[in-house]
Amino acid sequence: MTASRLSVNVNAIAMLRNRRDLPWPSVTGMAAIAMEAGAKGITVHPRPDERHIRKSDVFDLAELIEDRFPNKELCLEGYPTPEFLDLVEKARPDQVLFVPDAPEQTTSDHGWRFGADKALLKEAITAAREWAVTVSLFLDPDPALAPEAAAIGAERIEIYTGPYGACYDSPERAKLELDKVAATAEAARAAGLGVNAGHDLTVENIPALISRAPFIREMSIGHGFTADALIHGFAGSVQRFRKAMGEV
């Protein structure tokens, strides 16, 4: 069995838990199942209103990984506000993914375009790296953006694969979107960046992506994984996604 590149996003688990004033389903409990089954780590996106992941969840997950899964990774996603950076400093995840999300967004739906954001990102990247946290930037599938990410100090990018995932019913459009993702991955690798991918990835569309960019080091998957797990269970879906990635 090869090393995993699957990072399971457990935001949806937290959203379901928050429907009641009860401790189940357990965010840490489901995260533990995923990691025991072979996931490389856990991703969470704590938003300011805590409508799904709460700050307390972040610390609970960090403690879980430190105590029980020291070879696994925690990734925090968020817009680099002072409050989010304070959380990163205190929780010290393995990786932080900076995303250009407004607080009211339901999900990340676009990447950084840089421009006026460069100063903000440079400051956030410098801080995170001082805390020994690996920095990734969320980018649209556009090869021209990768060198800019490298120039301001990012170590990795995560390619927004939402447009590719949205073509589930159109093989022709899916091929065009996959071409953009693959070209962006190649540009990032040429710029010396690690390459991650995430958004609307499924067991059906992952194989084609991996065949075009086998050097992708991490896929962060939440919605598609959770939908699959409702049928196959958390542990079963880890195996299904890892099989789609050619790992088992």
Side-chain angles (χ1 to χ4, degrees), residues 125-216:
I125 290 168
T126 297
R129 295 187 68 167
E130 287 177 353
W131 303 324
V133 177
T134 299
V135 178
S136 181
L137 297 181
F138 197 57
L139 298 188
D140 290 323
D142 179 350
L145 297 171
E148 293 193 63
I152 62 172
E155 298 160 274
R156 300 173 186 166
I157 65 164
E158 179 171 309
I159 304 172
Y160 173 48
T161 53
Y164 170 58
C167 298
Y168 59 89
D169 58 350
S170 175
E172 296 80 8
R173 287 193 300 119
K175 183 182 183 305
L176 293 175
E177 294 297 339
L178 180 56
D179 288 343
K180 297 177 187 176
V181 174
T184 306
E186 291 287 359
R189 183 166 67 160
L193 296 167
V195 182
N196 300 341
H199 222 84
D200 296 333
L201 294 174
T202 66
V203 293
E204 289 78 22
N205 63 28
I206 285 174
L209 174 56
I210 286 294
S211 69
R212 294 288 302 276
F215 50 86
I216 288 175

Side-chain angles (χ1 to χ4, degrees), residues 6-88:
L6 171 63
S7 184
V8 175
N9 186 313
V10 292
N11 280 13
I13 302 304
M15 186 177 294
L16 179 60
R17 175 203 59 194
N18 293 353
R19 295 180 67 245
R20 297 285 187 273
D21 186 21
L22 295 167
W24 61 80
S26 167
V27 170
T28 53
M30 300 308 291
I33 291 172
M35 290 186 287
E36 286 170 348
K40 72 168 293 186
I42 299 298
T43 295
V44 290
H45 186 159
R47 293 182 179 273
D49 61 5
E50 297 194 326
R51 61 181 179 267
H52 36 65
I53 288 293
R54 301 165 180 161
K55 288 183 180 178
S56 57
D57 293 323
V58 172
F59 294 109
D60 289 345
L61 287 165
E63 182 178 3
L64 171 71
I65 289 174
E66 182 179 2
D67 291 348
R68 292 180 53 191
F69 302 96
N71 62 328
K72 305 293 186 177
E73 298 180 4
L74 176 63
C75 176
L76 295 189
E77 298 181 3
Y79 186 85
T81 61
E83 294 76 16
F84 180 70
L85 290 174
D86 181 64
L87 182 61
V88 174

Side-chain angles (χ1 to χ4, degrees), residues 4 40 186 214-215 226 231 239:
S4 176
K40 72 168 293 186
E186 291 287 359
F215 50 86
T226 305
I231 300 170
Q239 296 306 304

